[in-house]
Amino acid sequence: MDILTALHTRRSVRSFTDQPVAEEDIRALLDAAMIAPSAGNAQPWQFVVITDKAVLEQVPAINPYAAMAPRAPLGILVCGDLKAEKYHGFWVQDCSAAIQNILLAALARNLGTVWTGIYPVEDRIQGFRRLCGLPGHIEPLALVLAGRPNQKQEHKSRYDESKIHRNVWGG
């Protein structure tokens, strides 16, 4: 699959089969995440791989927009390591690039994903800190849920000329 096809066919998947995600797939997703660009090449990310159903079942109480978590075979909690960043505050962009790489790598391996936001909502941050035992310098950004999709993906362009400005706003 070429990159443009991947970009156009990737969609948020909220329904998964019961099939577990293979360790080689998990490693491929994390490898893709870790080659993302980062400010000053700081690579200020940490990942908590969650396959324990008992942990995934607690997620909707922390983040209601991740109600599908108990039915997902895999969760990857993407966190920023504040001690590792070179340029203050850029960890959010760096980890977001890592997440996008996870989403695209998952598609290439016939997995579906959904990016569920945590940061900057304080009660979600604290909930995931407690759930996963995160130290104070580790900031949870998002939980990516993954598995074999139980739904069809279709190509749909979202191109919108009204959102494009040339050289200056309104130009």
Side-chain angles (χ1 to χ4, degrees):
M1 169 182 313
D2 70 86
I3 189 65
L4 290 176
T5 300
L7 290 169
H8 282 281
T9 57
R10 192 219 55 82
R11 294 287 178 266
S12 294
V13 173
R14 294 174 176 84
S15 180
F16 306 99
T17 68
D18 292 335
Q19 184 178 355
V21 177
E23 279 300 317
E24 64 195 42
D25 289 330
I26 294 171
R27 181 178 170 96
L29 301 185
L30 295 171
D31 184 40
M34 293 182 203
I35 61 169
S38 62
N41 198 29
Q43 303 172 33
W45 38 65
Q46 296 285 338
F47 306 92
V48 179
V49 175
I50 306 169
T51 55
D52 184 334
K53 284 291 185 192
V55 176
L56 290 167
E57 286 172 359
Q58 296 178 59
V59 168
I62 299 168
N63 183 353
Y65 298 102
M68 72 295 297
R71 295 178 307 281
L74 172 65
I76 300 175
L77 183 64
V78 180
C79 303
D81 184 341
L82 302 184
K83 288 184 178 178
E85 68 176 341
K86 288 183 182 175
Y87 301 104
H88 178 73
F90 280 84
W91 71 269
V92 174
Q93 294 176 46
D94 299 341
C95 290
S96 294
I99 293 169
Q100 182 70 11
N101 280 12
I102 290 171
L103 303 180
L104 292 171
L107 182 64
R109 296 187 79 89
N110 297 313
L111 295 168
T113 55
V114 62
W115 175 338
T116 63
I118 298 168
Y119 184 88
V121 181
E122 192 60 35
D123 61 328
R124 293 182 198 169
I125 293 168
Q126 294 310 319
F128 279 97
R129 279 189 192 289
R130 284 188 301 276
L131 181 64
C132 296
L134 303 178
H137 67 284
I138 300 297
E139 199 76 16
L141 177 67
L143 177 67
V144 176
L145 298 167
R148 299 284 168 209
N150 201 15
Q151 64 189 63
K152 284 280 188 195
Q153 302 295 67
E154 59 184 59
H155 178 320
K156 180 181 175 191
S157 177
R158 295 181 183 176
Y159 185 85
D160 182 350
E161 190 71 34
S162 71
K163 296 183 184 238
I164 299 169
H165 308 272
R166 309 247 182 217
N167 300 313
V168 295
W169 190 265

